[in-house]
Amino acid sequence: MMVSFAKVAEYQQRAAIHFHAVVRLDGPSDPGAAPPSWATPELLADAVRAAAASVTVRVPESAACGAEALSWGAQLDVRPIRSFGDGAGVSDDAVAAYVAKYVTKGATDTAAGLDHQVSGPEDIRTARVSGHVRALMGTCWRLGGLPELEDLRLRTWAHTLGYRGHILTKSRRYSTTYAALRAERADHQRTGSETAKEAHTVAEAAWRYVGSGHTPGAALIAAGIAEDLARNREIASEEIAHSLHGQQGCDT
């Protein structure tokens, strides 16, 4: 039996990293093989909760941070995923849309800073980001100047608020690889012209009404976009109010 996973990192407004992970039990031979009968979704959920509650990483001792141990927080939400509309829990279609939402978000949408490096405080001051993000970038730059934190390379990664990990990571068995996708694309481009020559148009005279509205996955993406737009409007209002307050202070 093998454990496969896919994980997406979301940089939140409070400068904390929020991980969205999909964990799956595979059979011993390949991902398509069924796991043993005793490997139930409930058992996997209990294992995830136990791992999150017990695992810790100790930070190297320094004069700036002391000797700290990092662990998972109390905010943990574990839900079973159902496939093909069977059973209770979140559908696989909704989960795919949920994960895709955070993969396709831009850096500014997730308040994760900029998509290019900064060379100093002046770049941070003139960056087209909110005051909150600018403060976090400035903090990374100042902390990056401490000899005790030199190994963290905070100034190099100040544009991403100090986070230098990949937004998406997965185990090799979880799904296809980029190498396989590139090979498939190359094969498609090579044979596409030949297929186009052989293709013919089929006229369909019978039509039927299937339905309207969002699928569960599309509804989840739409809700996420609405949430982001509302948050962006709130940040813009705060910036305008702050600017007006500063102008009134100067006038007085």
Side-chain angles (χ1 to χ4, degrees), residues 134-242:
R134 187 176 294 108
L136 293 174
M137 292 169 62
T139 300
C140 284
W141 190 267
R142 289 191 296 273
L143 293 178
L146 297 177
E148 300 90 339
L149 302 179
E150 182 179 0
D151 292 341
L152 297 179
R153 302 172 62 197
L154 291 175
R155 288 191 170 183
T156 301
W157 297 96
H159 63 296
T160 57
L161 314 188
Y163 182 70
R164 56 184 181 181
H166 292 287
I167 187 175
L168 171 64
T169 55
K170 71 175 188 66
S171 59
R172 188 171 184 83
R173 284 169 51 109
Y174 181 80
S175 64
T176 187
T177 63
Y178 284 118
L181 291 176
R182 285 192 293 268
E184 288 286 343
R185 182 165 57 248
D187 181 66
H188 173 74
Q189 292 173 344
R190 183 172 55 254
T191 60
S193 58
E194 299 176 1
T195 303
K197 295 178 181 179
E198 299 174 358
H200 59 279
T201 303
V202 177
E204 177 61 63
W207 295 84
R208 64 187 180 88
Y209 177 73
V210 177
S212 59
H214 293 303
T215 64
L220 191 60
I221 290 180
I225 293 174
E227 178 185 343
D228 294 339
L229 291 175
R231 180 55 182 163
N232 289 339
R233 287 194 294 268
E234 181 182 345
I235 293 175
S237 299
E238 292 175 356
E239 289 294 314
I240 293 174
H242 179 73

Side-chain angles (χ1 to χ4, degrees), residues 24-40:
R24 185 185 70 208
L25 288 178
D26 298 332
S29 57
D30 59 75
S37 58
W38 52 265
T40 62

